[in-house]
Each structure stands twice: as C-alpha cells, then as structure tokens.
Amino acid sequence: MKESNELIAEFMGKEIYQNYHESFYHTSWDWLRPVVEEIHTHGCEIVISSNGVTTIYAPSGEVLAEESSEEENHMLDATYKAVVTYIKNNKF
C-alpha cells in the first residue's frame, strides 16, 4: 500500500515526506476525499455505491476504473482501489 499511497500523493502534487504514514489514504475519507475531488476536476464522474463498488467514468461515459470491496469499510476501500487504478491507467 505504501507504493499506492505514494502514487496518490504524487498525483496530488505533494512531496513524499518520511513522516507520512504509509496507510493514510486507504484509512480515512479526510485524506481520500480531496483525491476524489481532484479526479472530478478532470471531468470524470465518480460513483460510490453503498454496496462496495466504486466506478470512475470519463466525460465520454467510458469506464476508466471500477473496483469492489467486501471489507468492513467497503465504500472507502473500493474508492481507494478505484483511485489507484485510475491514476495508474491515466499517466499524469
């Protein structure tokens, strides 16, 4: 997860500091929400379903990322996974 969190931090334009905890993005909406908002500024629609599926759509309607989770905090987990997939597949 450390690599994925570093990827997200780079996407958000933040330098990676040694004091960053390696698991912050996938454990807190406070950290993940600004990332979702940033993706939205790229014209994408992010659908976070209560059943643990998160889908990120391009402005054209194409699915850019879709992830699911059965974890206890499945909405956060699925959104984290979808964000990572989106960033990996759309080189910034």
Side-chain angles (χ1 to χ4, degrees):
M1 289 204 194
K2 181 178 180 182
E3 181 179 310
S4 295
N5 283 322
E6 288 176 357
L7 182 72
I8 293 171
E10 289 172 17
F11 171 75
M12 294 298 289
K14 299 179 190 287
E15 291 185 30
I16 307 296
Y17 295 100
Q18 289 183 353
N19 64 343
Y20 274 151
H21 188 275
E22 70 180 52
S23 61
F24 52 92
Y25 285 108
H26 80 283
T27 61
S28 172
W29 282 112
D30 290 339
W31 281 97
L32 194 57
R33 184 177 32 255
V35 182
V36 170
E37 291 170 354
E38 177 63 25
I39 292 170
H40 183 73
T41 68
H42 293 220
C44 296
E45 180 180 354
I46 299 97
V47 177
I48 302 169
S49 301
S50 61
N51 65 352
V53 176
T54 297
T55 308
I56 300 175
Y57 295 95
S60 65
E62 173 190 1
V63 174
L64 299 175
E66 185 169 74
E67 298 290 341
S68 63
S69 176
E70 295 183 11
E71 297 291 324
E72 182 178 333
N73 197 354
H74 56 274
M75 291 171 64
L76 177 66
D77 188 54
T79 303
Y80 172 79
K81 291 176 182 177
V83 162
V84 171
T85 298
Y86 171 81
I87 294 170
K88 284 182 177 178
N89 291 339
N90 297 280
K91 306 297 181 200
F92 294 96

